[in-house]
Amino acid sequence: MLLLFLVGLTAVASQEIRPPPVQCPTCIKVDNICHNISHLLQLQASFRTVVVITELGILRSKNILFYAFEPNITDKEYYKVGYVNLDNFNETGVVVGASAVNLITFDIIQSNGTIYYGGGDALYVSDKFNTVHFFGSKADRIRSVVVYKNEVHFVRDGEGKIVKKQGDNFKIYDLYTSVKNFLINKEGNMFFLNNSGLYLNRFETDLTVRLSKNNFFRGLTMDLNENFYAWWIDGIYKVVKGRDFLDAKLVRVADIPNIGAMTFDNGNNFLFTTSKSLFKLTSTNDADVRC
């Protein structure tokens, strides 16, 4: 009896008495983990009365955030790309060209800092991060541009097919139709939105899974681990891999309304805009915090 009593006493003494979880008033749950939400800055640009920011991306070597936006209706350009240094908010401006270029979208090669832009009448490329020059596809309005294996892929407005620029020639992928937006990760998986929904595809093959019938997602992005995300009026969605490629599914991981655009910073934290405000979500990684 004495031995059983001592064993029981030891077990009780070894149990850690934990305080109740602390409520975090500035946290929201993302992928079942509490994340602290903080306001970083107000983006400075010649926005319209209703602020429209459609895309975010970071030149990681310089920690410069780029954002595609719609300028004031009196501006001669109807789309522009602005930038701000996340280490020095005073370093801010707008990407310019020799003439009106109407920059709609962009993609960044992180290895050398080259940025390719889709414009209102052509593809453009930067020699410095704030100046662009003509690159190709003259007279074409570019809706989405992706650099994959150091080759520029894009979608022309009204055509909806993915096109690869090969020197002065172009390869058209007839496999894909009515594409609005797309991404390709290093594994060769393509995440794309078209008129019939949101899809995951093994690029250049017909291996495809439809993730959603919703064709109105506001944008697509990847985190630093090359996981795919999309956002809509009711929050953030993530592509969750299955055992097999065709088992992939789309899961809503955060209930955040009114996201304009989204990306991930150099610490793989969520960055997103609401109107012209830029917010950051940082994981608490703390079991004693609840939201």
Side-chain angles (χ1 to χ4, degrees):
M1 289 293 295
L2 179 61
L3 178 60
L4 290 174
F5 173 76
L6 291 174
V7 170
L9 186 64
T10 301
V12 171
S14 64
Q15 291 179 357
E16 182 182 357
I17 300 175
R18 300 177 64 88
V22 177
Q23 183 72 36
C24 174
T26 59
C27 288
I28 60 173
K29 189 168 287 188
V30 181
D31 213 359
N32 294 317
I33 298 173
C34 274
H35 285 65
N36 185 60
I37 182 169
S38 57
H39 179 261
L40 295 184
L41 75 152
Q42 295 282 97
L43 295 171
Q44 301 299 314
S46 57
F47 296 113
R48 297 182 182 183
T49 303
V50 176
V51 176
V52 177
I53 297 172
T54 56
E55 186 174 351
L56 299 177
I58 294 177
L59 177 56
R60 301 199 178 279
S61 62
K62 298 180 182 293
N63 205 22
I64 294 175
L65 176 77
F66 289 81
Y67 55 97
F69 70 95
E70 294 182 3
N72 194 291
I73 57 175
T74 59
D75 197 295
K76 63 181 180 180
E77 294 183 275
Y78 43 84
Y79 293 103
K80 288 180 179 286
V81 172
Y83 62 89
V84 59
N85 189 327
L86 294 178
D87 296 323
N88 177 11
F89 295 164
N90 292 322
E91 185 182 326
T92 183
V94 175
V95 178
V96 297
S99 60
V101 291
N102 296 299
L103 302 179
I104 300 169
T105 184
F106 60 90
D107 197 21
I108 302 171
I109 300 183
Q110 300 296 343
S111 59
N112 60 20
T114 301
I115 306 176
Y116 291 93
Y117 298 87
D121 62 353
L123 286 166
Y124 293 89
V125 64
S126 63
D127 55 353
K128 296 181 180 179
F129 72 82
N130 62 347
T131 306
V132 299
H133 301 282
F134 174 78
F135 180 67
S137 203
K138 188 174 179 60
D140 289 330
R141 181 184 175 95
I142 311 301
R143 301 303 308 181
S144 185
V145 60
V146 169
V147 180
Y148 174 59
K149 293 185 177 180
N150 290 322
E151 293 182 301
V152 178
H153 301 70
F154 60 96
V155 174
R156 294 183 281 221
D157 194 33
E159 181 180 53
K161 295 181 179 179
I162 294 173
V163 181
K164 179 169 69 173
K165 190 175 187 303
Q166 298 177 306
D168 294 330
N169 299 314
F170 299 94
K171 176 181 178 179
I172 298 176
Y173 292 90
D174 290 321
L175 181 65
Y176 311 109
T177 59
S178 64
V179 176
K180 299 178 179 180
N181 196 358
F182 73 109
L183 298 172
I184 308 173
N185 67 15
K186 291 178 181 177
E187 296 178 352
N189 295 325
M190 186 172 78
F191 188 42
F192 72 97
L193 181 71
N194 74 4
N195 288 341
S196 61
L198 190 64
Y199 294 83
L200 184 67
N201 167 261
R202 185 78 74 187
F203 188 52
E204 298 186 89
T205 78
D206 59 1
L207 185 61
T208 304
V209 54
R210 183 152 87 170
L211 302 168
S212 173
K213 294 180 180 180
N214 182 359
N215 66 346
F216 294 106
F217 282 95
R218 291 182 168 179
L220 315 176
T221 192
M222 286 189 290
D223 66 13
L224 298 190
N225 298 318
E226 306 236 318
N227 295 304
F228 292 123
Y229 291 81
W231 61 94
W232 195 46
I233 57 174
D234 64 345
I236 300 171
Y237 291 76
K238 180 181 180 181
V239 177
V240 178
K241 299 176 182 178
R243 292 183 179 181
D244 183 78
F245 183 88
L246 296 178
D247 292 331
K249 58 183 179 180
L250 190 70
V251 177
R252 191 173 71 155
V253 294
D255 181 10
I256 307 176
N258 300 321
I259 293 176
M262 191 176 79
T263 190
F264 290 82
D265 69 8
N266 284 344
N268 211 27
N269 301 299
F270 291 85
L271 294 182
F272 69 90
T273 60
T274 296
S275 186
K276 60 182 177 181
S277 295
L278 180 68
F279 294 93
K280 177 179 179 178
L281 288 172
T282 307
S283 172
T284 60
N285 290 320
D286 191 341
D288 294 327
V289 174
R290 68 180 182 182
C291 49

